[in-house]
Amino acid sequence: MADIVAGEPEHEPTTFIDSAKEKITEIFDRDDSSSSSDSDAKTKDKKSFPVPSNKNTTSWKDKPVNTLLGGGQAADIFLWRSKRKSMAILGFATIVWALFEMIEYHLLSLLCHLLILVLGGHFLWSNTLNLFYKCPQFPQVAVEEETALQVALVLRLEINNALEVLREISAGKDLKEFLAVIAGLWIVSIAGSCCSLLTLVYICFVLLHTVPLLYERHKDKADVCLEKAEAEFKKQFDVLQEKVLSRIPSRQSKDKKVA
């Protein structure tokens, strides 16, 4: 009995240490399981709510031609969705251009002749035809104040937007855009010296009725040609940037010198 009693305290510290170790490991296991469950929940939340990327990978080449033209009825006319309307508008523009350019009909003469026809028709309607037939009263034509205000508001907004765009371009923040606008204006000035304003407007109008349609039908081939032209333009612009534009002092360099 003494041996047994004497042997019992030898096993007590080992069992106490083992029980303490077991409790400590259980606590750590619980913490690990809770942390892993929390991390899994966070990853699930991240997967379920992905962060939207700010990069817009879609370029104008991936968009349909109808969207590039702004959509609506005007885009349908330029793309010949309604052939009758497109043919009527293009035919009317061709007649106007032929009257003023080929026949050399003047705008003042056209306005006077139109007024003569309107006044003569009104006179016959009001006096002569009423002697034989009971004609209804000639309709009154007037511009409503609301319509005039809406037109003026739209014109004001468009003019202000155009002036704001020109101001941003002339500020020189985007050098490529500035040089492209200068080159475009130079080309338009050359074209204006070769033909009249009406002819230039008519050419642009005909191009609007033909180029989008041809691009839509041959989009793959046109995209290849446009990519080659864009690469060549970037190459030439890099040469210009290296040889000429890099030597021009910018506003930032001046500010650094002053500071």
Side-chain angles (χ1 to χ4, degrees):
M1 290 295 292
D3 294 332
I4 295 171
V5 173
E8 285 179 356
E10 293 180 358
H11 292 286
E12 286 179 0
T14 57
T15 54
F16 176 76
I17 293 171
D18 292 337
S19 63
K21 285 182 178 180
E22 288 178 359
K23 289 180 180 180
I24 292 170
T25 53
E26 285 178 1
I27 292 170
F28 279 110
D29 290 336
R30 288 176 184 175
D31 293 336
D32 293 335
S33 61
S34 62
S35 62
S36 62
S37 62
D38 292 336
S39 62
D40 293 336
K42 289 180 181 180
T43 54
K44 287 180 181 179
D45 293 336
K46 289 181 180 180
K47 291 180 180 179
S48 59
F49 299 101
V51 178
S53 59
N54 293 325
K55 295 181 179 179
N56 190 7
T57 57
T58 58
S59 63
W60 64 272
K61 296 177 184 178
D62 299 329
K63 297 179 181 179
V65 183
N66 195 358
T67 305
L68 293 175
L69 292 175
Q73 190 174 3
D76 293 337
I77 291 172
F78 291 144
L79 293 173
W80 294 77
R81 297 285 192 268
S82 56
K83 294 183 179 180
R84 292 183 179 179
K85 290 182 180 180
S86 300
M87 290 178 65
I89 294 173
L90 187 59
F92 178 75
T94 304
I95 291 171
V96 171
W97 175 79
L99 281 175
F100 288 105
E101 292 296 327
M102 298 180 68
I103 306 176
E104 295 183 354
Y105 200 64
H106 298 286
L107 180 61
L108 183 60
S109 301
L110 178 63
L111 292 175
C112 292
H113 292 163
L114 289 175
L115 285 174
I116 289 170
L117 289 175
V118 172
L119 292 174
H122 189 200
F123 179 81
L124 292 174
W125 185 283
S126 302
N127 297 291
T128 307
L129 294 177
N130 282 326
L131 296 175
F132 303 100
Y133 304 99
K134 291 183 178 180
C135 298
Q137 191 177 3
F138 196 83
Q140 294 182 356
V141 180
V143 179
E144 296 181 358
E145 183 180 0
E146 185 179 357
T147 304
L149 291 175
Q150 289 178 357
V151 172
L153 181 61
V154 171
L155 288 176
R156 185 180 69 85
L157 290 175
E158 293 297 330
I159 291 171
N160 289 334
N161 290 331
L163 292 175
E164 183 65 23
V165 170
L166 291 175
R167 189 181 70 84
E168 290 293 331
I169 292 171
S170 61
K173 295 179 180 179
D174 191 352
L175 191 59
K176 289 183 180 180
E177 187 177 4
F178 175 75
L179 293 176
V181 171
I182 295 297
L185 291 175
W186 181 63
I187 293 170
V188 171
S189 66
I190 294 174
S193 62
C194 297
C195 59
S196 63
L197 178 62
L198 183 61
T199 303
L200 188 62
V201 171
Y202 177 70
I203 291 172
C204 295
F205 193 74
V206 173
L207 289 176
L208 280 174
H209 278 79
T210 54
V211 173
L213 182 64
L214 294 174
Y215 176 74
E216 188 180 34
R217 291 184 177 179
H218 307 283
K219 193 173 186 301
D220 296 332
K221 296 180 181 179
D223 287 339
V224 173
C225 296
L226 288 174
E227 288 177 358
K228 291 181 180 179
E230 187 178 0
E232 185 65 25
F233 175 76
K234 288 182 179 179
K235 184 179 179 181
Q236 296 298 328
F237 182 80
D238 292 337
V239 173
L240 181 65
Q241 177 76 24
E242 183 179 358
K243 292 184 178 180
V244 179
L245 300 178
S246 60
R247 300 179 182 179
I248 300 174
S250 61
R251 186 184 299 176
Q252 296 178 354
S253 61
K254 291 181 180 179
D255 294 337
K256 288 180 180 179
K257 289 181 181 179
V258 172

